[in-house]
Amino acid sequence: DDHNDSLINAMSSMMRDILNESEDASQKLLEVILRNLIKRKKDTTCASYKLAKSVIETCGQEDELNSIVCKFLSSCIYDRDAVGCGLKEYYHEIIFEVFQCAPHMLLAIIPSLIEELLADQVDVRLKAVNLAGKLFALPNHHVAQKFHDLFVEFLKRFYDTSVDVRISALQCAKAFYAANPFGRESLEIITSVEGRLLDFDDRVRMHAVTAACDICCSNPMLVPVKLLAAVTERLRDKKISVRKRALQKLMETYREYCKKCCDRSMSTSDHFEEIPCKILMLCYDKECKEFRSQSMELVLGDNLFPSELSVKERTNHWIHMFSLFSSLHEKALNTILIQKRRLQNEMKNYLAIRKKLKVKCKN
């Protein structure tokens, strides 16, 4: 690993020459290159990975390596059983790594993934969605724009017949939006996520809530109002698991918003201040027993704001929030405060009685 870069370059040049000149050696050498390209997990300084990456990066469109890589990957996609190489099970990882090194090498391969997104087998569609999502999330590559047909088919997986495929598509949404916060594609992703908030399967709705709130947290200033409002509606979902996930993620979103306001990277917003207002209204929902006023005090007192937020900042948010209150909000908050005062009074009485008993015992 501590060899000079000049040695890596020299080895890379020799390997390219072998690939271009010797057809017999090409297949075996290709397997060695690809195996080292995908074996790394976190350590990108590994010498064998650097060498494999260097060979791929410097491959030209007319090089022999380009043709044999495309031939190998095409066989994996269309007729994997005919592939004798042991790497055929890892061809998605190979596509992802090669694309980062030399995207020009895969111009004919990436559109072929549409076939897998349309496959009858759920596991094939699932793997294809994961790969497409990772490719779309690569910064500065603009894969969704360059391979629009693939992106269109990827969007359809948000409405796939398989629950697992729909969940997988939702899990890709945050990374996609973080890499591409602007443009038509991002708006289409947001629309697809919003559509899954009303999915008939509660697991999908939970993941949709997570994806929507993660998108809101990634760039609060660009969040569509409609998406945030749709997430708050899941606080009244028929499934308790979805309600709890919505509460947890909305609190995280509100705390992130408070941090942005504190460091002055964004100003206070009615749309975000509506989050605690919506939470407060759960006191009236008979179906949401877990949100009764007794527990609501803990939610608003302990979980609403970031722990490091100053009293002044919290007060500013309460003032803004209170300006949005209706009479029902005021009544709910008043009920919580009355119970809090009652608890304080009872605790005072208890301590006073205990003190008298101690005095009697001493006498």
Side-chain angles (χ1 to χ4, degrees):
D1 288 348
D2 57 353
H3 284 305
N4 194 286
D5 285 345
S6 60
L7 180 61
I8 295 286
N9 295 333
M11 288 294 296
S12 176
S13 178
M14 290 168 60
M15 294 173 80
R16 286 197 307 276
D17 289 341
I18 294 171
L19 288 165
N20 289 326
E21 295 174 7
S22 173
E23 186 175 341
D24 294 336
S26 294
Q27 193 61 44
K28 292 182 179 179
L29 186 54
L30 171 67
E31 191 170 338
V32 173
I33 292 170
L34 296 181
R35 193 177 298 280
N36 282 279
L37 188 68
I38 65 171
K39 76 175 187 179
R40 61 104 179 184
K41 294 298 181 184
K42 296 181 180 178
D43 186 10
T44 57
T45 62
C46 174
S48 59
Y49 168 76
K50 287 174 64 179
L51 177 56
K53 184 171 180 281
S54 175
V55 175
I56 297 293
E57 282 179 334
T58 53
C59 168
Q61 292 188 358
E62 303 301 323
D63 284 356
E64 180 67 20
L65 178 60
N66 187 80
S67 61
I68 59 178
V69 167
C70 288
K71 182 180 178 181
F72 166 70
L73 293 174
S74 294
S75 299
C76 289
I77 292 172
Y78 294 109
D79 191 13
R80 190 168 48 164
D81 292 336
V83 181
C85 175
L87 286 172
K88 64 182 179 181
E89 300 299 327
Y90 306 99
Y91 73 95
H92 278 172
E93 290 90 333
I94 292 171
I95 290 174
F96 183 66
E97 292 294 340
V98 170
F99 189 86
Q100 293 180 84
C101 301
H104 64 271
M105 188 184 287
L106 301 181
L107 291 178
I109 298 298
I110 299 300
S112 302
L113 294 175
I114 294 175
E115 300 288 334
E116 295 194 337
L117 289 172
L118 291 169
D120 292 334
Q121 302 90 339
V122 173
D123 62 324
V124 174
R125 297 202 305 276
L126 196 58
K127 291 177 181 179
V129 165
N130 289 331
L131 174 58
K134 287 165 64 178
L135 290 171
F136 292 143
L138 286 174
N140 305 318
H141 282 275
H142 309 293
V143 181
Q145 292 94 330
K146 293 177 182 176
F147 301 96
H148 185 68
D149 290 343
L150 178 66
F151 176 68
V152 169
E153 197 55 48
F154 173 78
L155 285 178
K156 293 178 183 178
R157 295 313 104 212
F158 283 89
Y159 306 89
D160 196 274
T161 54
S162 166
V163 169
D164 291 335
V165 173
R166 298 202 299 275
I167 288 174
S168 181
L170 287 166
Q171 290 172 333
C172 296
K174 178 192 174 182
F176 180 97
Y177 186 82
N180 311 275
F182 307 101
R184 187 184 67 183
E185 290 79 12
S186 293
L187 293 177
E188 289 179 299
I189 286 288
I190 287 175
T191 301
S192 298
V193 171
E194 187 181 329
R196 292 305 89 214
L197 288 167
L198 295 175
D199 195 279
F200 65 86
D201 190 282
D202 57 290
R203 289 181 297 155
V204 177
R205 296 200 301 277
M206 285 176 65
H207 282 277
V209 165
T210 299
C213 288
D214 286 344
I215 287 173
C216 292
C217 287
S218 65
N219 202 331
M221 289 180 288
L222 296 178
V223 174
V225 176
K226 191 179 175 184
L227 178 66
L228 196 58
V231 178
T232 59
E233 290 302 313
R234 291 306 95 217
L235 288 168
R236 298 178 180 276
D237 196 274
K238 60 184 179 181
K239 285 283 188 176
I240 186 172
S241 56
V242 180
R243 297 199 295 268
K244 287 186 173 181
R245 176 66 63 85
L247 178 64
Q248 174 199 349
K249 296 302 295 185
L250 283 168
M251 291 294 236
E252 288 179 14
T253 304
Y254 187 79
R255 287 195 295 269
E256 189 62 32
Y257 153 75
C258 288
K259 291 177 183 177
K260 296 285 186 184
C261 292
C262 185
D263 61 22
R264 302 296 182 264
S265 57
M266 73 176 290
S267 56
T268 54
S269 162
D270 286 359
H271 308 305
F272 282 93
E273 297 295 351
E274 282 284 354
I275 292 176
C277 293
K278 293 280 188 180
I279 294 172
L280 193 58
M281 290 300 290
L282 295 175
C283 291
Y284 294 106
D285 198 327
K286 295 179 180 179
E287 297 296 322
C288 303
K289 296 179 181 179
E290 69 274 16
F291 297 140
R292 294 288 169 81
S293 54
Q294 297 93 326
S295 57
M296 193 59 68
E297 182 197 338
L298 298 176
V299 171
L300 297 176
D302 298 341
N303 303 322
L304 186 59
F305 300 110
S307 58
E308 67 275 14
L309 202 67
S310 68
V311 173
K312 181 180 178 181
E313 290 289 340
R314 295 179 190 225
T315 304
N316 290 336
H317 284 291
W318 272 111
I319 292 172
H320 192 145
M321 196 192 311
F322 197 79
S323 69
L324 305 175
F325 274 16
S326 67
S327 59
L328 288 176
H329 290 108
E330 292 180 25
K331 183 180 177 182
L333 182 60
N334 193 45
T335 301
I336 294 171
L337 294 175
I338 288 172
Q339 288 187 345
K340 184 179 178 69
R341 176 58 59 87
R342 184 184 300 160
L343 177 63
Q344 290 173 341
N345 290 335
E346 292 297 332
M347 183 58 71
K348 286 180 181 179
N349 293 335
Y350 165 75
L351 292 174
I353 293 170
R354 192 171 177 216
K355 186 176 181 181
K356 287 180 180 180
L357 288 173
K358 282 184 177 182
V359 173
K360 286 184 178 180
C361 289
K362 286 181 180 179
N363 294 334

